[in-house]
Amino acid sequence: MKTNIENQNPLENLEHWEEFLQTRYPEGESQAAAKPFNATDPAKKKEQFRNYEADARPSVREFYRLNHRGQTFDFVQAKRAEYLGLSKKKMGIWEAMEFLNTLVDDSDPDTDLSQLEHLLQTAEHIRQDGHPRWFILTGLIHDLGKILCLYGEPQWAVVGDTFPVGCAYSDKIVFPQYFADNPDSRTPRYQTPVGVYSEHCGLDKVCLSWGHDEYLYHVVKDHLPVEALYMIRYHSFYP
């Protein structure tokens, strides 16, 4: 399924990555007055995290504009049909992690660490806290679904906060004003509290916006404990 959204395939191949970075994060006068961004600021207070409205990079705001416009119910169904057959490619865990080392998540206002650093950091903190080995493994792999970028998917269809599609949008979703541009906002059957679902059907019956969480959940659902599967499928489901 194709959409008319600009930048549908910003990374046509990996050789374009450096060129993309220079365009996406230009240096010079445009950033001279910007507040320096420190991915590991030890002085950052708890209430300052996930503050999208105040100090988020411009790329974060643009990311969610595209995300909220493009994540329609039909788009999600098409991506599920395209990817959940799991027939694209076989990759080892370390191979996937090395690929992610080229990716900086445009949707995250709190860090500009590479994805490899993020995965290792997450797993190590879980290990230090004394959690079981399946929990450590889940922390290590929880973002591996971001390899969707390898297949040319734009970041707005890979990362970012997830939310239900096919029903009314919660005002708790980040930047809810951008849903005004989503075609589903003008489709009455998608804009009731229950939408296309039945009451009390359970989250496993609800289609969430398409991205790395949903993809990885289907990759590992036969191999990890149910607690790990909840962590993977819902770790971006803030609303």
Side-chain angles (χ1 to χ4, degrees), residues 194-202:
V194 175
V196 300
Y197 310 105
S198 59
E199 224 171 310
H200 307 300
C201 67

Side-chain angles (χ1 to χ4, degrees), residues 114-168:
S114 73
Q115 294 300 294
L116 177 57
E117 290 173 294
H118 172 60
L119 294 178
L120 293 172
Q121 181 188 67
T122 301
E124 175 59 13
H125 277 287
I126 293 171
R127 186 197 65 79
Q128 286 179 348
D129 283 348
H131 292 293
R133 291 174 64 85
W134 67 262
F135 198 153
I136 300 170
L137 173 63
T138 303
L140 183 68
I141 70 170
H142 77 279
D143 273 346
L144 285 188
K146 292 178 182 178
I147 65 168
L148 287 171
C149 287
L150 181 65
Y151 306 126
E153 295 295 337
Q155 285 207 25
W156 64 261
V158 177
V159 297
D161 288 7
T162 58
F163 48 87
V165 295
C167 59

Side-chain angles (χ1 to χ4, degrees), residues 95-114:
E95 182 183 1
M97 289 172 64
E98 287 184 326
F99 166 71
L100 290 185
N101 203 36
T102 68
L103 179 68
V104 174
D105 186 342
D106 276 354
S107 71
D108 196 332
D110 298 318
T111 183
D112 61 358
L113 290 175
S114 73

Side-chain angles (χ1 to χ4, degrees), residues 23-69:
T23 302
R24 190 77 173 194
Y25 308 109
E27 295 183 0
E29 293 183 0
S30 61
Q31 290 188 334
K35 183 179 179 181
F37 183 81
N38 188 343
T40 56
D41 184 0
K44 192 166 186 177
K45 298 178 181 178
K46 182 178 180 180
E47 59 271 18
Q48 292 176 298
F49 283 90
R50 300 189 58 74
N51 187 345
Y52 291 91
E53 296 289 350
D55 298 323
R57 299 189 301 276
S59 63
V60 174
R61 190 175 291 271
E62 173 64 6
F63 167 88
Y64 278 108
R65 185 184 72 83
L66 295 172
N67 174 274
H68 290 359
R69 191 168 73 173

Side-chain angles (χ1 to χ4, degrees), residues 5-21 23-24 66 103 106 149 151-158:
I5 292 180
E6 62 267 28
N7 295 327
Q8 170 70 11
N9 294 301
L11 300 180
E12 294 178 1
N13 57 62
L14 294 182
E15 285 72 23
H16 292 171
W17 182 249
E18 288 299 327
E19 179 183 346
F20 171 74
L21 287 180
T23 302
R24 190 77 173 194
L66 295 172
L103 179 68
D106 276 354
C149 287
Y151 306 126
E153 295 295 337
Q155 285 207 25
W156 64 261
V158 177

Side-chain angles (χ1 to χ4, degrees), residues 22 39 50 62 69 88 99 109 169-170 175 182-184 198:
Q22 292 172 12
R50 300 189 58 74
E62 173 64 6
R69 191 168 73 173
K88 291 286 187 180
F99 166 71
Y169 305 114
S170 167
F175 295 124
N182 188 304
D184 287 359
S198 59

